[in-house]
């Protein structure tokens, strides 16, 4: 019987599994984060990348691997609020239906600034700005949208524009960093608490991550072609991530738990 991994097919997770081979013993099941979260709880996947907010809210049923994350320190470029009015004048925002963590992070950041905003869950892109002040986009859709706004590839990250035409872009990870000076953890690999991860699978995951990070140009080229964005932009995007859940990332995860009123279990598999 195959062991099933839940995988979001997003460019930002590709270094983790680009070189991981499916086999009779190890199968992938792709979905957006909200789907993967549910599949893990109901048992149709065995080990999955899950949203950090979902993990924290279900920590009595889930336990993460000790050294895997999808995290970032500063701008992440793909968890963005695109808006047509300044941040402090936002009244109505359309939310992605793909992720619980980014939605909760946006709500926290707005409330921390004393803003009261009306939220609506609705799939779509920038066309939603015709009816809303802002739209939250994540993952591939966000990076494609942002790349499409850029008039040219900047030579330096310090030249990246955060306003193009009438559209302002607020990077939620950067806003989190400005508030906490900590990384933001978007996802962790987790299993159900009563089903320890097989060590052989974890070894394969670590080997695939090592190869993915060591061959980032290859990974970024494949993802750039898939999404139709410039390869240099994709490579910079990918090397910006933190995939190891190191001490600063755990502090960031703990700070997020406290920010949204959840317990931080500090409980990881010893594998």
């Amino acid at each position: 019987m195959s062991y099933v991994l839940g995988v979001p097919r997003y460019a930002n997770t590709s270094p983790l599994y680009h070189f991981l081979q499916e086999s009779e013993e190890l199968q992938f099941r792709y979905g957006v984060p909200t789907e993967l979260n549910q599949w893990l709880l109901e048992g149709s996947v065995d080990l999955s990348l899950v949203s950090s907010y979902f993990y924290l809210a279900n920590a009595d049923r889930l336990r993460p691997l000790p050294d895997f994350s999808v995290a970032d320190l500063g701008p992440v470029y793909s968890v963005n609020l695109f808006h047509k009015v300044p941040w402090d004048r936002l009244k109505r925002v359309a939310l992605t239906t793909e992720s619980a963590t980014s939605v909760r992070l946006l709500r926290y950041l707005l409330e921390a600034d004393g803003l009261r905003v009306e939220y609506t869950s609705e799939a779509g892109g920038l066309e939603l700005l015709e009816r809303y002040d802002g739209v939250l986009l994540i993952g591939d859709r966000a990076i494609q949208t942002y790349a499409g706004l850029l008039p040219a590839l900047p030579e330096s990250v310090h030249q990246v524009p955060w306003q193009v035409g009438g559209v302002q872009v607020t990077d939620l990870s950067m806003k989190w960093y400005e508030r906490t000076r900590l990384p933001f953890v978007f996802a962790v690999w987790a299993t159900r608490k009563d089903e320890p991860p097989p060590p052989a699978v974890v070894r394969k995951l670590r080997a695939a991550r090592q190869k993915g990070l060591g061959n980032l140009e290859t990974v970024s080229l494949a993802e750039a072609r898939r999404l139709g964005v410039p390869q240099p932009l994709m490579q910079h995007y990918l090397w910006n991530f933190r995939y190891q859940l190191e001490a600063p990332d755990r502090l960031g995860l703990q700070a997020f738990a406290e920010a949204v009123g959840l317990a931080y279990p500090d409980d990881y598999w010893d594998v």
Side-chain angles (χ1 to χ4, degrees):
M1 188 171 179
S2 297
Y3 194 78
V4 181
L5 294 182
V7 179
R9 185 167 265 164
Y10 288 156
N12 58 26
T13 61
S14 57
L16 296 174
Y17 62 82
H18 182 89
F19 291 102
L20 189 63
Q21 298 293 320
E22 287 191 84
S23 65
E24 290 186 3
E25 294 77 26
L26 187 64
Q27 296 289 317
F28 294 177
R29 186 176 183 189
Y30 294 100
V32 299
T34 48
E35 293 173 325
L36 296 173
N37 296 341
Q38 198 55 45
W39 293 342
L40 182 61
L41 275 192
E42 71 186 24
S44 58
V45 300
D46 299 302
L47 170 63
S48 182
L49 274 166
V50 292
S51 303
S52 57
Y53 178 73
F54 184 82
Y55 153 63
L56 292 167
N58 293 276
D60 59 327
R61 301 175 64 184
L62 302 175
R63 181 175 290 153
L65 299 185
D67 58 338
F68 282 89
S69 61
V70 179
D72 193 87
L73 180 65
V76 67
Y77 304 108
S78 63
V79 180
N80 294 330
L81 183 73
F82 297 86
H83 47 111
K84 61 184 181 183
V85 302
W87 173 267
D88 58 3
R89 288 173 48 197
L90 289 166
K91 298 295 183 186
R92 299 181 70 240
V93 168
L95 302 174
T96 175
T97 56
E98 297 180 13
S99 165
T101 295
S102 59
V103 168
R104 193 63 189 84
L105 175 60
L106 174 63
R107 286 175 177 261
Y108 165 71
L109 292 170
L110 288 167
E111 290 166 9
D113 283 343
L115 301 175
R116 299 183 66 179
V117 175
E118 177 185 328
Y119 303 98
T120 302
S121 295
E122 186 166 342
L126 290 186
E127 74 280 0
L128 292 174
L129 290 180
E130 295 177 5
R131 292 185 285 120
Y132 297 94
D133 298 329
V135 54
L136 175 64
L137 302 179
I138 70 161
D140 291 351
R141 182 187 287 269
I143 196 70
Q144 284 177 302
T145 300
Y146 192 35
L149 287 174
L150 295 175
L153 274 184
E155 187 172 333
S156 163
V157 294
H158 299 289
Q159 298 168 341
V160 172
W162 295 106
Q163 178 166 355
V164 183
V167 180
Q168 300 176 46
V169 184
T170 295
D171 186 307
L172 298 195
S173 180
M174 185 62 194
K175 206 159 184 65
W176 169 262
Y177 171 74
E178 290 170 345
R179 178 168 289 277
T180 66
R181 301 302 181 194
L182 289 169
F184 190 82
V185 178
F186 291 96
V188 295
W189 283 108
T191 71
R192 291 175 294 281
K193 220 167 188 175
D194 57 349
E195 297 183 25
V201 171
V202 178
R203 282 196 292 273
K204 287 183 178 179
L205 288 174
R206 287 176 176 145
R209 176 182 58 193
Q210 183 177 11
K211 193 169 182 179
L213 295 178
N215 294 273
L216 208 53
E217 184 174 5
T218 300
V219 177
S220 63
L221 183 59
E223 292 302 309
R225 285 174 175 164
R226 183 174 69 82
L227 297 184
V229 302
Q231 186 272 338
L233 176 72
M234 179 59 70
Q235 186 159 342
H236 172 77
Y237 172 56
L238 294 183
W239 76 39
N240 203 39
F241 281 93
R242 302 168 60 86
Y243 292 110
Q244 315 276 353
L245 197 61
E246 295 177 276
D249 308 300
R250 292 190 182 196
L251 288 174
L253 185 59
Q254 181 176 3
F256 181 56
E258 293 170 354
V260 297
L262 294 172
Y264 173 64
D266 197 18
D267 178 27
Y268 300 91
W269 288 113
D270 182 14
V271 63

